[in-house]
Amino acid sequence: METIKVAVQKSGRLNEDSLQILKDCGISIDNGQDQLRASARNFPMEVFYLRNGDIPQYLIDGVVDIAILGENVLIEKGTDIPVVEKLGFSKCRVSIAVPKNVDYNVVSDLEGKRIATSYPNTVQRYLQDKGVQAELHIINGSVEIAPNIGLADAVCDIVSSGSTLFKNNLKEVEIILHSEAVLAVSPKAGPEQRKILEQLRFRLRSVLEARNNRYVLMNAPNDRLEAIIALLPGMRSPTVLPLAERDWSSIHTVINKDRFWEVLDQVKREGAEGILVCPIEKMIL
């Protein structure tokens, strides 16, 4: 039986989130401790646990068919590898930072400076686009210490909360790109693997849609139904059911998680009561 080979990060937060989304897709993986390769029990899939920075080359060589990895790594090392889904977790940005006491105004202030980074290709493309020349020092690991020991004038690294920069007395001055976990596919993936990939993408979309929406139930007086329904951005239209109490109805709908507080404030002002907000496990459009 044909299987699809998927690479995930060997350890860390991206590893945990990658395995969780596969689990949410109903895929059970038999992975023991320190195991570098595992099979799924109920889906034609093999999982390879690899270093994040090595994954693009495995995709290029066709050793694995697909991978879940940070978009920033893909941009740095595998620009010709297509992304088929953005997965919405492990969000970060690749940014340039300088010591807090440095007077920085525009990107041309980096002219002739020394920049320590683990993303030389990304930084070089950015500086070339801005017409700036700088000296890059490639460091694998914690680059934030470089200015403190006199190795560099600035650093470029991934930033999530910014706490690491703060602890190292640095300030973020340029955002080069925004990144999140993505599903990428090898150019060498065969037709059978691409069929399995489409099955996986169907499951992923249902999980991602569910994560991005909330199921909302509320009670409303019938004379306010029209005004309340007009405020609801449902999938097609809200479901309205009569309550045992006369002249009242129950409204059921789905609201995007980024909007539901705003919408709930509005419907509450229009007379909605007993509002329940529930997570959605899967959502198929």
Side-chain angles (χ1 to χ4, degrees):
M1 181 179 178
E2 292 284 349
T3 61
I4 193 166
K5 297 174 182 177
V6 56
V8 301
Q9 185 173 291
K10 184 164 58 174
S11 60
R13 181 64 183 272
L14 186 54
N15 165 275
E16 296 169 9
D17 290 341
S18 300
L19 295 179
Q20 183 61 53
I21 200 168
L22 293 176
K23 182 179 179 181
D24 291 345
C25 287
I27 300 173
S28 300
I29 299 165
D30 294 319
N31 57 315
Q33 188 175 8
D34 299 326
Q35 197 171 349
L36 298 180
R37 182 176 178 178
S39 298
R41 291 197 302 270
N42 56 353
F43 193 81
M45 174 183 286
E46 287 184 278
V47 181
F48 290 71
Y49 300 92
L50 305 171
R51 288 182 63 253
N52 204 35
D54 294 338
I55 291 176
Q57 192 61 51
Y58 280 88
L59 286 166
I60 292 169
D61 294 340
V63 176
V64 295
D65 304 304
I66 58 174
I68 299 174
L69 74 165
E71 190 175 12
N72 56 302
V73 176
L74 201 60
I75 291 171
E76 173 66 22
K77 296 190 174 183
T79 52
D80 294 330
I81 300 171
V83 170
V84 293
E85 293 289 342
K86 293 197 172 189
L87 301 177
F89 57 85
S90 295
K91 291 187 177 182
C92 64
R93 54 197 181 273
V94 177
S95 297
I96 295 175
V98 300
K100 288 180 182 178
N101 59 2
V102 170
D103 184 19
Y104 183 95
N105 298 295
V106 292
V107 68
S108 59
D109 290 343
L110 295 171
E111 181 72 33
K113 302 297 186 183
R114 299 165 300 164
I115 303 176
T117 185
S118 302
Y119 299 92
N121 296 326
T122 302
V123 179
Q124 190 62 47
R125 284 193 295 266
Y126 180 78
L127 294 178
Q128 284 178 351
D129 183 59
K130 300 295 184 180
V132 174
Q133 289 190 341
E135 181 183 341
L136 300 186
H137 289 264
I138 303 173
I139 298 178
N140 294 317
S142 299
V143 302
E144 294 85 1
I145 196 174
N148 294 329
I149 60 176
L151 181 62
D153 304 298
V155 302
C156 181
D157 201 9
I158 58 172
V159 179
S160 295
S161 66
S163 61
T164 303
L165 294 180
F166 180 80
K167 291 174 184 177
N168 286 276
N169 205 33
L170 300 171
K171 61 182 178 181
E172 188 177 8
V173 294
E174 298 285 339
I175 298 176
I176 293 181
L177 60 88
H178 291 273
S179 175
E180 63 184 272
V182 297
L183 179 67
V185 59
S186 167
K188 295 186 178 181
E192 290 302 317
Q193 283 68 39
R194 291 183 182 273
K195 287 181 183 178
I196 300 170
L197 172 60
E198 288 309 305
Q199 296 175 36
L200 176 61
R201 289 180 69 190
F202 172 78
R203 297 191 186 193
L204 283 170
R205 289 191 194 112
S206 73
V207 170
L208 294 173
E209 285 292 338
R211 289 182 177 182
N212 289 330
N213 290 277
R214 299 292 181 267
Y215 190 77
V216 180
L217 304 86
M218 66 190 78
N219 298 331
N222 288 346
D223 60 358
R224 303 304 301 156
L225 280 179
E226 188 173 336
I228 291 172
I229 289 172
L231 297 169
L232 299 176
M235 294 171 61
R236 184 165 304 213
S237 65
T239 299
V240 179
L241 302 171
L243 291 179
E245 183 176 349
R246 188 174 178 180
D247 296 327
W248 280 76
S249 295
S250 174
I251 304 173
H252 299 221
T253 192
V254 173
I255 302 176
N256 186 276
K257 67 179 178 64
D258 294 327
R259 285 203 59 205
F260 83 89
W261 283 117
E262 169 198 346
V263 173
L264 295 191
D265 285 340
Q266 293 173 343
V267 299
K268 195 172 184 300
R269 286 196 295 268
E270 289 292 342
E273 298 179 3
I275 302 171
L276 299 179
V277 180
C278 307
I280 304 171
E281 185 175 323
K282 304 291 185 293
M283 185 171 165
I284 300 170
L285 300 178

